[in-house]
Amino acid sequence: MKIAVVSHDAGSSELICAFMKEYTTKADWHVFAKTSSPMAEICKRHNLPYAPMADAAEQLEDIHPDLLLFGTGWQDKCEQPYVHYCKMHGIPTVAFLDHWSNYRERFGYPKNGWEENLGDFTAVHDERAYSLAVSMGLPNPLKLPNHYLIRLIEQAVKQKAEVGKTLLFLSEPTDAVAQKTYGNPLYWGFTQYTALEDILEHFEDFQCEDLIIRLHPSERSSNYNAILRRYPTISVQIHDIHSAELMDELLCAKVIIGFDTMALYIAALLGKSVISYLPTKAREFLLPLPKNRQLNHLDHLSHELLDGSVLHMDKFGIDFATFVNTVTKAD
């Protein structure tokens, strides 16, 4: 079995690389990635060889794959030439979806012809994602184990972490996403900055001694300075991705709050106290978290939320042999 792989954005690339690592000996893998992409960095981390992207047709003709796995996301659509070639030549294609948002938009919806970018099959990794894919009519949803999360949780529980009294705010560039998508940074009625003000106003309710703001890679710490000057009595540190490992900060924090970043879901699986906070009715909660941990306001914060989460990963998905048989069987 010769499998071609092409991906760019981090989320689906993590899933695909973990899938390859789990089944290294089960296939002859051929990976294509942009040299400066998240996929390339993840491949290096896992010691997975890859070829720099070039002419898709030439690269695929050179290896004659039996199957193509491809990533999806927002940053770059460099997978599309590989997908189009395979679909033209009858090579099965499988799209990998991460998170629980913008599933159709990853393929170019609502532009004309967006359906041409879909895979023949759509790989998902939990029941919520499966339900979403079915409801949106994405082709042939397939349930696969989330080997990335399985390994991440297994490694995390072995770490020795001293839990402090820190409130960890996982910031996301909400204003930039709203501006890019809807032409209005306040489309949802809030930004990461207004949310931070809410958190600072209710800081005592979290029963924490200090606050860490973990920036999204696209954010700058200076954007928070004016807000923080108004709360001089609260001890605050701002960390970027180079300041500390995300897993270390999740494990050491007492309470973790954010919007709908995947890191909140990971923290909940680790038994941490997590809060998905969307101070609006104009945006739906996406993470598969308990309802009581999805808040539209921070007034009268329940003390129960300051206790650890009880969330488990159920066994999910088909094995590799069943996967291959499903996607390569003759019509």
Side-chain angles (χ1 to χ4, degrees):
M1 167 64 60
K2 193 176 292 186
I3 301 179
V5 172
V6 59
S7 188
H8 182 277
D9 286 17
S12 53
S13 295
E14 290 281 16
L15 292 172
I16 293 176
C17 286
F19 188 79
M20 284 192 289
K21 288 288 286 186
E22 184 70 17
Y23 304 115
T24 302
T25 62
K26 300 289 187 181
D28 181 11
W29 301 93
H30 296 264
V31 181
F32 304 103
K34 285 189 172 182
T35 53
S36 60
S37 67
M39 177 60 165
E41 292 302 314
I42 295 166
C43 284
K44 292 173 187 175
R45 192 173 76 230
H46 288 293
N47 295 316
L48 294 169
Y50 71 92
M53 282 187 181
D55 183 272
E58 290 181 5
Q59 289 185 311
L60 292 171
E61 285 170 3
D62 188 48
I63 64 172
H64 299 290
D66 302 297
L67 173 64
L68 174 74
L69 312 184
F70 70 97
T72 61
W74 279 98
Q75 289 179 278
D76 200 307
K77 306 296 184 185
C78 55
E79 301 94 349
Q80 290 180 4
Y82 295 82
V83 175
H84 296 165
Y85 175 91
C86 287
K87 294 177 82 168
M88 284 177 58
H89 292 82
I91 300 169
T93 58
V94 184
F96 274 63
L97 298 180
D98 67 298
H99 210 272
W100 302 270
S101 63
N102 304 307
Y103 279 0
R104 289 181 297 187
E105 287 79 0
R106 295 159 186 254
F107 302 100
Y109 175 88
K111 294 180 181 178
N112 289 334
W114 70 275
E115 295 94 338
E116 297 174 7
N117 303 322
L118 293 164
D120 299 306
F121 296 85
T122 308
V124 295
H125 296 80
D126 58 71
E127 288 293 350
R128 182 179 176 87
Y130 181 79
S131 297
L132 286 170
V134 169
S135 69
M136 294 178 185
L138 299 182
N140 302 310
L142 280 176
K143 298 180 178 182
L144 293 182
N146 192 327
H147 293 293
Y148 166 66
L149 267 188
I150 292 170
R151 287 189 177 193
L152 198 65
I153 299 302
E154 286 177 349
Q155 293 168 1
V157 296
K158 296 176 183 177
Q159 289 184 230
K160 294 181 179 179
E162 185 175 340
V163 180
K165 292 188 176 181
T166 295
L167 172 61
L168 176 63
F169 172 44
L170 301 172
S171 183
E172 298 174 61
T174 299
D175 59 342
V177 174
Q179 176 66 42
K180 182 177 180 181
T181 309
Y182 303 105
N184 179 5
L186 276 167
Y187 177 82
W188 288 301
F190 77 99
T191 68
Q192 63 271 40
Y193 307 114
T194 62
L196 175 61
E197 288 189 84
D198 295 342
I199 292 168
L200 291 166
E201 284 290 334
H202 295 84
F203 182 74
E204 290 186 1
D205 297 333
F206 291 97
Q207 299 178 18
C208 291
E209 294 180 354
D210 63 296
L211 170 69
I212 290 178
I213 301 169
R214 185 176 178 90
L215 299 175
H216 185 272
S218 65
E219 290 185 293
R220 294 188 303 174
S221 61
S222 59
N223 293 346
Y224 289 90
N225 291 342
I227 299 171
L228 296 178
R229 280 196 291 268
R230 299 202 295 270
Y231 299 87
T233 62
I234 299 175
S235 174
V236 182
Q237 295 183 51
I238 301 178
H239 291 176
D240 60 22
I241 59 173
H242 305 294
S243 300
E245 290 292 330
L246 172 61
M247 188 57 67
D248 292 339
E249 295 201 314
L250 295 180
L251 290 170
C252 292
K254 177 183 177 182
V255 183
I256 303 158
I257 187 169
F259 305 135
D260 52 21
T261 172
M262 184 71 173
L264 274 179
Y265 179 61
I266 294 171
L269 290 172
L270 292 169
K272 303 297 295 186
S273 168
V274 301
I275 297 171
S276 176
Y277 179 50
L278 296 177
T280 179
K281 295 289 187 180
R283 181 164 149 180
E284 293 183 6
F285 290 97
L286 295 173
L287 299 177
L289 296 174
K291 295 285 187 185
N292 70 325
R293 294 189 177 274
Q294 299 174 334
L295 303 184
N296 293 123
H297 61 81
L298 298 178
D299 297 330
H300 312 297
L301 197 66
S302 168
H303 287 182
E304 293 179 3
L305 295 182
L306 306 182
D307 296 328
S309 307
V310 181
L311 195 64
H312 303 286
M313 285 186 68
D314 297 324
K315 189 173 182 180
F316 183 89
I318 57 179
D319 60 29
F320 187 78
T322 305
F323 166 72
V324 169
N325 182 60
T326 301
V327 300
T328 60
K329 65 183 179 182
D331 293 332

